[in-house]
């Protein structure tokens, strides 16, 4: 099987994944789990699971390996990782009463603990490999017990081959079949140019196209191709423009930026009319009550260029920001197009001078986290991004960008220890609101608390700007690909999307 995106999750084992379409926990290493009390989660794991042959001499994976792996998360914070404290900050300590039992002691109740554990971030690694490489797993190709072994990693792509010593899922679980995985070899081509990706797919050199590369027009075109199937589902994503909260301490500056953006034009031009106002919680969550309706969002996000310009001028926006600096990359096209759209809006509607720095992906990530360790301002003022690590819980969706324990601190300088008193107070308030909803175990009460934090974001015009999002996502695959996860493909990195299911197969 040949695809253009890359994701290493297939080389590792996890306790489980989570299938959003059915709200099902799909066991991988786990056999059962029990929430003993609000602060204790007990998990029983399979016996006889072994690390890959070249990892820790192929020894058995035990509860101690899970405990060790889950203590490594703080190290990832400064590496621009998709891991942040919303996923793991609720864990106090991990006990291992025997080789096959994991007991997670929680700092506080967390309504999304089980779903969070389904994230690809909770991969289990061998301590020996980590320590032998100074904690840097980029130095090795394999460190886990997963269904595939990486055998090639080059600038042009990667190759994974089926792990011959992989354990059987007995009993099986949804997407984890007893004799899986069915596919023997998985090749991933790193192709930065969308036109080239499409051409290779049409030529039969790629089996799958992902959501990043397909809009409605491309989907319609591909749907007319022989041997190609196109699927469509709710996007359920987010797009955010982050403020550097060390600088945007004047609420009037933030409000001016919010009101200067024509979101309807954004949707028309960037999404061909198939878009929604950003929540910031995603649309599918909002439909369930974990967010606001589109009608309310449109009232809270008005386009008013005259008022925006007046606020900008009266608050000294041009003096505070003689040049508004933005950073983007072209590897993910929506980042570059959204940044250019916002640039023109701010120039036209505020009279601001805006400069955009276009960088490579590695530099883009480095720019995002710059200044965190030093408690220093960012080298930019506005930064557009999204994040696809986990789209299956409300508080980890776009809310991750609005609270300190998510990306708010490391990305947006929204930190309780900020040298800016206004920013510190705002950070404390957002953290308290987030904690209140995260620790609420009653679903209906939690919905109300999620709505409260969303309304506060709109009232404060920050700490970031929710931008419009696609209403739908599309994926295309060649008809030799069977059992494609049509109802969950949009959750590719998080749960039972493309990269972590084991019941895909190819019709040769």
């Amino acid at each position: 099987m040949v695809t253009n995106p890359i994701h290493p999750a297939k080389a590792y084992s996890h306790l489980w994944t989570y299938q959003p379409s059915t709200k099902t926990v799909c066991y991988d290493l786990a056999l059962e789990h029990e929430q003993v009390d609000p602060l204790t989660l007990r998990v029983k794991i399979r016996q006889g699971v072994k690390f890959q042959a070249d990892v820790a001499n192929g020894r058995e994976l035990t509860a101690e390996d899970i405990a060790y792996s889950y203590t490594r998360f703080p190290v990832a914070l400064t590496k621009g990782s998709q891991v942040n404290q919303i996923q793991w900050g609720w864990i106090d300590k991990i006990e291992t009463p025997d080789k096959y039992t994991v007991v997670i002691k929680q700092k506080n109740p967390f309504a999304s603990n089980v779903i969070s554990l389904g994230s690809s971030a909770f991969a289990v690694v061998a301590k020996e490999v980590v320590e032998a490489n100074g904690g840097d797993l980029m130095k090795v190709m394999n460190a886990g017990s997963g269904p595939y072994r990486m055998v090639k990693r080059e600038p042009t792509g990667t190759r994974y081959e089926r792990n011959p010593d992989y354990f059987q899922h007995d009993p099986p679980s949804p997407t984890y079949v007893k004799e899986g995985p069915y596919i023997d070899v998985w090749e991933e081509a790193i192709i930065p140019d969308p036109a080239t990706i499409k051409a290779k797919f049409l030529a039969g050199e790629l089996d799958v196209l992902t959501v990043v590369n397909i809009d409605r027009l491309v989907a319609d075109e591909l749907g007319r191709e022989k041997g190609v199937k196109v699927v469509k589902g709710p996007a359920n994503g987010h797009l955010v423009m982050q403020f550097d909260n060390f600088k945007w301490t004047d609420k009037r500056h933030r409000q001016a930026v919010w009101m200067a953006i024509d979101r309807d034009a954004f949707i028309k031009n960037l999404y061909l009319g198939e878009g929604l106002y950003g929540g910031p919680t995603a649309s599918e969550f909002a439909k369930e009550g974990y967010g606001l309706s589109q009608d309310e969002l449109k009232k809270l996000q008005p386009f008013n260029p005259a008022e925006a310009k007046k606020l900008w001028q009266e608050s000294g926006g041009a003096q505070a920001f003689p040049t508004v600096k933005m950073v983007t990359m072209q590897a993910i096209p929506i980042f570059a197009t959204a940044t250019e759209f916002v640039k023109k809006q701010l120039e036209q509607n505020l009279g601001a001078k805006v400069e955009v720095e276009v960088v490579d992906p590695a530099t883009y990530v480095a720019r995002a986290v710059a200044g965190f360790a030093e408690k220093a301002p960012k080298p930019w003022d506005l930064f557009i991004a999204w994040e696809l690590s986990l789209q299956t819980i409300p508080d980890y969706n776009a809310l991750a960008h609005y609270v300190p324990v998510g990306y708010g601190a490391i990305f947006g300088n929204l930190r309780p220890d900020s040298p800016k008193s206004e920013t510190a107070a705002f950070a404390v308030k957002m953290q308290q609101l987030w904690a209140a909803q995260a620790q609420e175990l009653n679903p209906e009460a939690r919905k109300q608390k999620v709505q409260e934090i969303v309304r506060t974001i709109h009232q404060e015009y920050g700490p970031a700007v929710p931008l419009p999002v696609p209403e739908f996502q599309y994926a295309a695959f060649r008809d030799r690909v069977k059992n494609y996860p049509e109802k969950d493909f949009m959750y590719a990195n998080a749960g039972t999307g493309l990269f972590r299911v084991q019941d895909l197969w190819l019709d040769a």
Side-chain angles (χ1 to χ4, degrees):
M1 180 153 167
V2 185
T3 60
N4 70 284
I6 59 171
H7 201 282
K10 63 180 73 64
Y12 295 91
S13 298
H14 305 73
L15 285 177
W16 51 68
T17 58
Y18 179 75
Q19 189 173 59
S21 63
T22 62
K23 300 186 185 321
T24 300
V25 174
C26 307
Y27 287 146
D28 185 9
L29 289 173
L31 285 171
E32 60 182 53
H33 75 279
E34 177 189 8
Q35 188 75 49
V36 179
D37 58 57
L39 298 179
T40 307
L41 179 66
R42 179 183 292 120
V43 183
K44 287 285 188 180
I45 66 170
R46 301 178 191 273
Q47 300 183 25
V49 176
K50 293 183 179 181
F51 283 106
Q52 295 169 6
D54 58 346
V55 175
N57 295 316
R59 67 167 175 80
E60 186 181 24
L61 183 154
T62 70
E64 290 287 346
D65 295 299
I66 294 171
Y68 170 76
S69 299
Y70 292 1
T71 63
R72 297 183 64 244
F73 289 130
V75 178
L77 273 178
T78 58
K79 297 183 181 295
S81 169
Q82 291 185 334
V83 181
N84 68 60
Q85 293 182 70
I86 284 181
Q87 287 181 325
W88 51 265
W90 52 279
I91 297 175
D92 183 22
K93 61 181 178 179
I94 301 178
E95 299 174 350
T96 54
D98 60 60
K99 290 175 65 176
Y100 310 111
T101 303
V102 177
V103 178
I104 300 177
K105 293 293 187 178
Q106 301 180 203
K107 296 176 183 176
N108 48 258
F110 183 33
S112 299
N113 60 348
V114 171
I115 301 178
S116 289
L117 289 169
S119 165
S120 60
F122 284 85
V124 179
V125 298
K127 180 179 181 179
E128 299 96 313
V129 178
V130 176
E131 294 186 347
N133 291 278
D136 186 2
L137 293 182
M138 288 299 293
K139 296 179 180 179
V140 299
M141 288 196 286
N142 297 293
S145 61
Y148 292 95
R149 297 177 59 253
M150 183 188 290
V151 298
K152 184 187 82 169
R153 182 174 63 200
E154 299 175 353
T156 56
T158 58
R159 178 183 172 92
Y160 293 85
E161 295 180 356
R162 195 178 191 275
N163 175 13
D165 302 315
Y166 189 57
F167 63 95
Q168 289 191 339
H169 286 79
D170 187 13
S173 188
T175 78
Y176 290 107
V177 288
K178 184 176 180 180
E179 292 84 14
Y182 292 145
I183 293 175
D184 293 322
V185 177
W186 195 310
E187 293 186 351
E188 298 172 322
I190 301 175
I191 309 170
D193 177 47
T196 303
I197 295 172
K198 178 182 170 184
K200 286 184 175 293
F201 177 75
L202 292 174
E205 297 178 37
L206 295 175
D207 290 305
V208 177
L209 276 183
T210 65
V211 297
V212 171
N213 307 303
I214 304 178
D215 59 23
R216 176 169 52 83
L217 294 181
V218 173
D220 290 343
E221 176 188 354
L222 294 175
R224 294 190 291 269
E225 292 286 330
K226 184 178 180 180
V228 173
K229 185 170 183 179
V230 177
V231 292
K232 172 183 177 181
N236 207 39
H238 68 267
L239 186 69
V240 62
M241 184 166 71
Q242 189 72 61
F243 289 119
D244 178 357
N245 286 281
F246 272 10
K247 305 171 188 174
W248 296 86
T249 54
D250 190 323
K251 180 178 176 179
R252 296 170 298 173
H253 294 160
R254 302 194 302 267
Q255 183 178 0
V257 170
W258 274 55
M259 299 178 73
I261 299 172
D262 186 343
R263 290 164 173 79
D264 291 329
F266 189 109
I267 291 170
K268 179 180 178 181
N269 289 285
L270 276 66
Y271 302 140
L272 305 177
E274 290 189 338
L276 300 168
Y277 277 49
T281 49
S283 58
E284 295 303 293
F285 299 133
K287 291 177 183 177
E288 296 178 3
Y290 294 102
L292 308 181
S293 68
Q294 284 293 294
D295 287 341
E296 184 171 355
L297 289 174
K298 289 178 180 179
K299 292 177 182 178
L300 292 171
Q301 300 175 21
F303 173 53
N304 190 333
E307 182 62 22
K309 191 167 188 177
K310 179 182 177 183
L311 278 169
W312 188 251
Q313 291 175 339
E314 291 180 349
S315 62
Q319 289 71 45
F321 300 93
T323 300
V324 176
K325 298 177 181 179
M326 302 184 72
V327 177
T328 193
M329 66 173 176
Q330 295 179 330
I332 299 180
I334 185 61
F335 289 1
T337 55
T339 298
E340 184 61 24
F341 181 90
V342 169
K343 173 181 182 291
K344 292 179 179 177
Q345 292 277 288
L346 299 184
E347 290 174 338
Q348 177 180 334
N349 299 322
L350 296 183
K353 179 182 177 182
V354 183
E355 291 182 356
V356 175
E357 180 187 18
V358 182
V359 299
D360 61 84
T363 304
Y364 176 89
V365 173
R367 292 280 194 278
V369 301
F372 176 69
E374 302 82 8
K375 296 184 183 179
K378 301 290 183 178
W380 46 265
D381 302 310
L382 299 171
F383 195 115
I384 292 177
W386 63 15
E387 180 274 323
L388 298 175
S389 176
L390 188 63
Q391 295 273 33
T392 50
I393 62 175
D395 47 11
Y396 194 89
N397 198 258
L399 288 181
H401 289 277
Y402 296 79
V403 295
V405 294
Y407 296 117
I410 192 168
F411 183 22
N413 267 333
L414 181 73
R415 47 198 306 166
D417 61 349
S418 173
K420 301 280 188 176
S421 59
E422 307 97 318
T423 302
F426 192 19
V428 170
K429 179 179 181 179
M430 295 303 296
Q431 188 59 45
Q432 290 173 341
L433 288 170
W434 176 83
Q437 64 81 29
Q439 296 175 26
E440 178 55 69
L441 302 182
N442 180 295
E444 293 307 312
R446 189 185 189 197
K447 291 174 185 178
Q448 297 303 312
K449 292 180 180 180
V450 172
Q451 291 178 19
E452 180 182 2
I453 190 172
V454 170
R455 290 192 177 99
T456 298
I457 290 166
H458 286 80
Q459 292 163 1
E460 296 293 337
Y461 302 100
V465 183
L467 294 175
V469 296
E471 184 173 7
F472 304 109
Q473 288 184 355
Y474 300 89
F477 54 95
R478 306 207 70 81
D479 58 7
R480 79 178 191 130
V481 179
K482 304 300 181 182
N483 212 27
Y484 187 86
E486 297 186 19
K487 294 183 179 180
D488 293 282
F489 72 90
M490 64 289 294
Y491 306 102
N493 295 359
T496 48
L498 178 65
F499 300 117
R500 293 172 63 191
V501 297
Q502 296 183 18
D503 53 356
L504 284 170
W505 56 282
L506 300 178
D507 186 349

